[in-house]
Amino acid sequence: MDAFSVAVDNSTLLAPHQKLAYLKANLEDEAKRAMEGWDCTDVNYDKCLKFFKQRFGDEELRKDALGAKLLDLEAVTTLDYRRLREMLDTVQTVIRCLEGLGVSAEAFGFMFKLILLRKIPDSCHRDFHRAHKKQEE
């Protein structure tokens, strides 16, 4: 929401209905469904933005949703490098989002390790532990 505020909401070049159209066009999943039915009019922009912030602006809920995203990762049981890369990309995105919410890596690092070790193939565990030992030395 911060990027939206900087790029769109604070813009003096866009009319309110244009801002609302931009917001709606860039939403996905639950947020997109929640915004259905709002016509892109100047009058609706402030109402819609207030509703959106109330529904999705709670940082604790955002942190919970990010944690759930990790827990819900589909396990990769074979050395499928494409799926492992997708998992890594998702994990890195979650980490960046949590850091953006002010959560330090120290606060969640040990949980990431436990979750990921349950989601990757057993053959990767040895490599993971070996790399982790080298970092500690």
Side-chain angles (χ1 to χ4, degrees), residues 17-65:
H17 72 276
Q18 292 171 309
K19 294 176 183 183
L20 182 52
Y22 184 85
L23 175 62
K24 290 180 70 172
N26 288 285
L27 297 175
E28 296 177 352
D29 304 323
E30 182 183 353
K32 185 173 188 165
R33 287 190 304 276
M35 299 305 281
E36 289 176 356
W38 292 93
D39 292 328
C40 293
T41 64
D42 287 352
V43 173
N44 279 345
Y45 178 67
D46 287 332
K47 295 176 192 175
C48 186
L49 193 59
K50 182 179 177 182
F51 166 80
F52 189 80
K53 286 180 179 179
Q54 286 175 338
R55 174 98 182 256
F56 298 102
D58 184 323
E59 287 191 5
E60 290 304 314
L61 289 176
R62 290 171 55 197
K63 291 174 191 176
D64 291 347

Side-chain angles (χ1 to χ4, degrees), residues 48-132:
C48 186
L49 193 59
K50 182 179 177 182
F51 166 80
F52 189 80
K53 286 180 179 179
Q54 286 175 338
R55 174 98 182 256
F56 298 102
D58 184 323
E59 287 191 5
E60 290 304 314
L61 289 176
R62 290 171 55 197
K63 291 174 191 176
D64 291 347
L66 290 165
K69 190 170 191 168
L70 284 179
L71 291 172
D72 293 342
L73 281 173
E74 186 178 335
V76 179
T77 58
T78 62
L79 279 178
D80 181 337
Y81 293 108
R82 182 189 57 78
R83 289 185 57 218
L84 286 167
R85 171 51 62 190
E86 288 172 2
M87 179 186 290
L88 178 61
D89 291 343
T90 298
V91 169
Q92 289 175 327
T93 298
V94 169
I95 289 170
R96 286 191 295 270
C97 290
L98 286 169
E99 288 174 340
L101 292 170
V103 181
S104 69
E106 291 80 28
F108 59 78
F110 78 97
M111 288 301 297
F112 270 50
K113 178 182 167 186
L114 293 173
I115 292 168
L116 290 177
L117 286 174
R118 287 175 171 79
K119 304 288 184 176
I120 61 175
D122 290 338
S123 59
C124 293
H125 287 211
R126 287 183 304 277
D127 294 336
F128 178 86
H129 289 296
R130 201 174 306 130
H132 190 68

